[in-house]
Amino acid sequence: MERQAVIKKLTDDADLDVLIIGAGINGIGTFRELALQGVDTLIVDRGDFCSGASAASSHMVHGGIRYLENGEFRLVREAVHERNRLIMNAPHLVYPLPTNIPIFKRFSGLLNAPLKFFGLLDRPAERGQLVIKLGLMMYDRYTREQANQVVPEHSVIGRSEALARYPKLNPEVRALATYYDGAMPMPERIAVETMLDAEKAHPGAHALNYVSAVDAEGDHVVLRDELTGETFSVRPRLVINAGGPWIDFINRALGQETEFIGGTKGSHLVLNHPELYAACGSHEFFFENDDGRIVLIYPVNDRVIIGTSDIKVDNPDNLGCTQEEEDYFIQFVGKIFPDIQIDSSHIVFRFCGVRPLPSSKAKTAGQISRDHSNEILEAGEAFDFPVFNLVGGKWTTFRAFSEHVADEALARLGVERQIDTHHLPIGGGHDYPRTASAREGWVANLAKTTGLEPHRATVLFERYGTYAAEIADYITAGSDRPLAAMPMFSTREIEFLTDREKVCRLDDLLLRRTILGMYGHLSYPLIEEVAAIVGSVRGWEEATTRENVERTVDLLAARHGVHLAAPEAGD
């Protein structure tokens, strides 16, 4: 249903079962859980879907091996299981990621680990080979608990073999441990496809981006369309605050003061550095820096992501990657690959966000729990409905967290669960061919039935999984051509994404429906070319199209450190 039709429907009939405020991955996951049970649910976000904290992850799904030191065994076990489920349920967007841990000491950390476990130590302490080995053994045990072992178990090799495999590796390394987590190069697509699945599951489920909650009046919540400035009200039986770092700000707008969130900032750099990419050998490097911070070097899509910081912040708005963080990231790469030179000229994108961690008095950011909880505000003076507050959580465990919250909501609503999502595919993961030969056959059939060139069919399948069939049908139903500034995409592909995936602003498409922004493919001519296509689909006047171009260019500079100059007249 089109955006204005949804708003009109809600204006005519304000009654809802559930209003979810915040369309990050926890909100969207809960939206899908409720829609599958036939619950009339509206999810809104003041920005685009998955444009806040959920867009600023390290682009991995992982069990959180370091959480073992904090005694969070339940969380690690849950995260390992959910990592495996996500690899199975969204294989087009999540796949096994071999991860290396360079080891420089053998016995370091034997005493420090138990002291951290009991909260008696908070200073950095490098983990040695034995401590890492014990952690990985527990990691493997959690993996083996599931029927299908999705990823291999860990291995450890000595110095000489490690240097033979990775010639650029620091020669002081004593050993190299390798284990597996999951790669998630485009998390925003997981969120959007999950949201679209939810709307398809139930006609009473609707998702609106660029709609904010601005007030609560008795049994009503006042919403504002951020694109038009108009307000309308809905009457929910239950509200779920999935605002992540903004949870307390949302509650304040609804008339209730809370202090649930004590978030920490995490920044990353994306590098165009072929030498560093090749040195990693398709493996992520995950290690402890000299200050005790866990950091990563992650090769993906011909780029390398490095990060991350962990800095306590009070306000999640208007954050950026600072020069101090940038220098820190570049410095730590030298610990692993001392002969590889990196400077700011290699950076093609910067991004940061705030982890929605619980308010805590922990002495260091690393000690704050990464677990999740549902903090409930019962109906009272401020509003006539209960408010669930989704505190904490992370990408890997979003399905489990969403399931838990949905079950609590269903109990309040008196609705029985009909469908569980443990093995439910997401988007292009539906009917996904599991073997290499089956995938080749699927792509060949797509090319044959639609008339696409085999290479084009392959690209669409790699990008969208089995969802590519729907996109290919649209592409071949009209006149299509490659984009002049980026032939890896085509005009009708951009039209499809704009029309079917709720693109309201140009940056929605460039940063969150495609890989164009984050992996450093944007140019001013490309932005203008895509803007013309999006504007045509949305019926924009020329002035609105121009505003979107300038807004996107300004956003890239201010938030992501990407400075694009407009071509001079005559170019």
Side-chain angles (χ1 to χ4, degrees):
M1 187 181 293
E2 288 290 333
R3 175 187 181 85
Q4 291 307 314
V6 172
I7 293 175
K8 184 179 186 307
K9 176 184 175 182
L10 295 169
T11 303
D12 293 341
D13 182 2
D15 289 333
L16 287 172
D17 291 324
V18 178
L19 169 66
I20 301 175
I21 304 171
I25 192 56
N26 287 332
I28 286 175
T30 306
F31 178 58
R32 181 180 69 150
E33 292 282 345
L34 294 173
L36 288 166
Q37 319 316 320
V39 175
D40 290 346
T41 307
L42 171 67
I43 184 170
V44 300
D45 196 289
R46 68 170 184 170
D48 189 25
F49 307 111
C50 197
S51 62
S54 294
S57 76
S58 295
H59 290 61
M60 302 180 299
V61 292
H62 64 93
I65 187 170
R66 74 178 183 84
Y67 307 154
L68 293 172
E69 279 188 346
N70 295 339
E72 296 185 287
F73 301 114
R74 186 210 64 78
L75 174 61
V76 176
R77 182 173 185 266
E78 177 184 74
V80 167
H81 290 183
E82 291 300 313
R83 175 203 68 194
N84 295 344
R85 290 190 179 109
L86 200 48
I87 290 172
M88 293 299 295
N89 292 337
H92 61 308
L93 295 170
V94 184
Y95 51 85
L97 174 65
T99 302
N100 292 334
I101 304 177
I103 300 169
F104 295 93
K105 296 182 180 179
R106 296 205 185 279
F107 302 108
S108 176
L110 281 176
L111 179 61
N112 296 29
L115 289 176
K116 285 183 179 180
F117 175 82
F118 289 109
L120 301 176
L121 182 72
D122 56 30
R123 68 176 182 270
E126 184 172 354
R127 300 158 182 85
Q129 183 173 345
L130 184 55
V131 170
I132 291 171
K133 178 72 175 179
L134 291 172
L136 292 176
M137 288 172 63
M138 184 171 290
Y139 221 54
D140 290 343
R141 178 185 174 186
Y142 291 149
T143 294
R144 289 195 300 270
E145 290 176 346
Q146 290 172 293
N148 296 320
Q149 187 161 330
V150 176
V151 300
E153 296 187 0
H154 84 277
S155 62
V156 180
I157 59 176
R159 176 180 179 275
S160 59
E161 187 175 351
L163 293 175
R165 291 187 188 180
Y166 304 96
K168 295 285 187 178
L169 189 60
N170 189 332
E172 295 182 6
V173 71
R174 287 180 175 269
L176 189 72
T178 301
Y179 72 101
Y180 284 76
D181 269 325
M184 181 178 60
M186 195 64 192
E188 295 88 344
R189 287 223 55 84
I190 299 174
V192 167
E193 292 183 25
T194 301
M195 177 267 294
L196 294 174
D197 283 351
E199 288 196 319
K200 292 175 183 176
H202 178 49
H206 301 292
L208 291 172
N209 47 356
Y210 298 104
V211 170
S212 58
V214 295
D215 198 4
E217 299 175 352
D219 61 353
H220 283 70
V221 176
V222 181
L223 304 176
R224 180 173 62 221
D225 183 343
E226 296 295 336
L227 300 180
T228 66
E230 297 177 356
T231 61
F232 60 100
S233 295
V234 294
R235 187 166 50 243
R237 297 169 61 189
L238 171 69
V239 170
I240 297 177
N241 184 348
W246 293 272
I247 279 177
D248 294 324
F249 295 85
I250 292 170
N251 285 334
R252 193 171 303 141
L254 299 181
Q256 180 73 55
E257 290 288 333
T258 58
E259 293 184 9
F260 291 134
I261 299 297
T264 67
K265 171 189 173 185
S267 297
H268 300 77
L269 305 178
V270 182
L271 308 179
N272 181 6
H273 199 303
E275 183 185 10
L276 179 60
Y277 184 90
C280 291
S282 78
H283 284 48
E284 177 194 32
F285 279 76
F286 184 79
F287 59 99
E288 183 178 28
N289 201 18
D290 294 335
D291 61 359
R293 175 70 193 138
I294 299 297
V295 291
L296 59 95
I297 305 171
Y298 172 22
V300 58
N301 284 343
D302 296 327
R303 300 290 190 258
V304 182
I305 298 174
I306 60 175
T308 175
S309 49
D310 201 2
I311 304 168
K312 289 186 178 182
V313 294
D314 295 323
N315 191 331
D317 286 320
N318 302 318
L319 297 177
C321 181
T322 65
Q323 186 63 51
E324 181 180 6
E325 289 175 295
E326 183 178 315
D327 293 342
Y328 174 83
F329 296 152
I330 291 174
Q331 170 272 326
F332 74 60
V333 175
K335 178 177 180 178
I336 304 301
F337 299 110
D339 295 333
I340 295 180
Q341 301 301 310
I342 299 173
D343 58 47
S344 59
S345 68
H346 295 109
I347 303 171
V348 297
F349 197 77
R350 301 162 176 84
F351 64 96
C352 72
V354 177
R355 303 172 184 89
L357 305 181
S359 180
S360 171
K361 295 181 180 179
K363 294 180 181 179
T364 65
Q367 290 179 298
I368 303 175
S369 174
R370 265 52 175 177
D371 210 343
H372 47 74
S373 65
N374 178 18
E375 304 296 332
I376 301 176
L377 298 174
E378 299 293 351
E381 294 182 4
F383 29 69
D384 296 344
F385 39 76
V387 177
F388 289 5
N389 293 271
L390 310 194
V391 177
K394 60 197 191 86
W395 260 100
T396 310
T397 56
F398 86 84
R399 191 214 61 83
F401 190 15
S402 299
E403 179 183 61
H404 170 73
V405 172
D407 284 342
E408 291 194 78
L410 293 173
R412 295 274 184 138
L413 298 171
V415 176
E416 293 288 332
R417 176 175 283 276
Q418 303 172 38
I419 300 173
D420 76 64
T421 55
H422 285 80
H423 307 291
L424 187 66
I426 294 171
H430 287 270
D431 300 320
Y432 191 86
R434 295 293 174 178
T435 66
S437 60
R439 289 190 286 273
E440 290 175 5
W442 195 96
V443 170
N445 185 65
L446 180 66
K448 179 180 178 180
T449 56
T450 62
L452 285 174
E453 291 291 329
H455 176 71
R456 180 67 171 140
T458 299
V459 168
L460 291 176
F461 176 74
E462 290 176 348
R463 195 172 286 164
Y464 304 107
T466 56
Y467 183 33
E470 187 176 344
I471 299 174
D473 285 341
Y474 180 90
I475 288 174
T476 55
S479 178
D480 190 35
R481 62 169 178 79
L483 298 185
M486 183 57 61
M488 62 191 292
F489 283 84
S490 73
T491 56
R492 284 187 66 81
E493 182 181 356
I494 298 298
E495 288 177 10
F496 179 94
L497 297 176
T498 302
D499 183 54
R500 307 292 177 86
E501 296 190 351
K502 302 178 186 288
V503 169
C504 294
R505 289 175 169 163
L506 181 59
D507 56 286
D508 300 344
L509 190 137
L510 295 174
L511 295 178
R512 289 174 290 279
R513 306 300 187 275
T514 71
I515 63 169
L516 293 170
M518 178 179 160
Y519 292 104
H521 298 297
L522 292 180
S523 64
Y524 209 100
L526 175 59
I527 291 174
E528 290 188 312
E529 185 177 9
V530 173
I533 300 169
V534 174
S536 176
V537 174
R538 286 284 165 246
W540 290 344
E541 296 181 356
E542 184 176 347
T544 304
T545 302
R546 176 49 49 187
E547 287 172 6
N548 269 266
V549 169
E550 298 306 325
R551 179 183 184 277
T552 300
V553 170
D554 291 345
L555 177 67
L556 287 168
R559 190 172 299 175
H560 303 295
V562 178
H563 300 276
L564 301 175
E568 296 183 7
D571 286 358

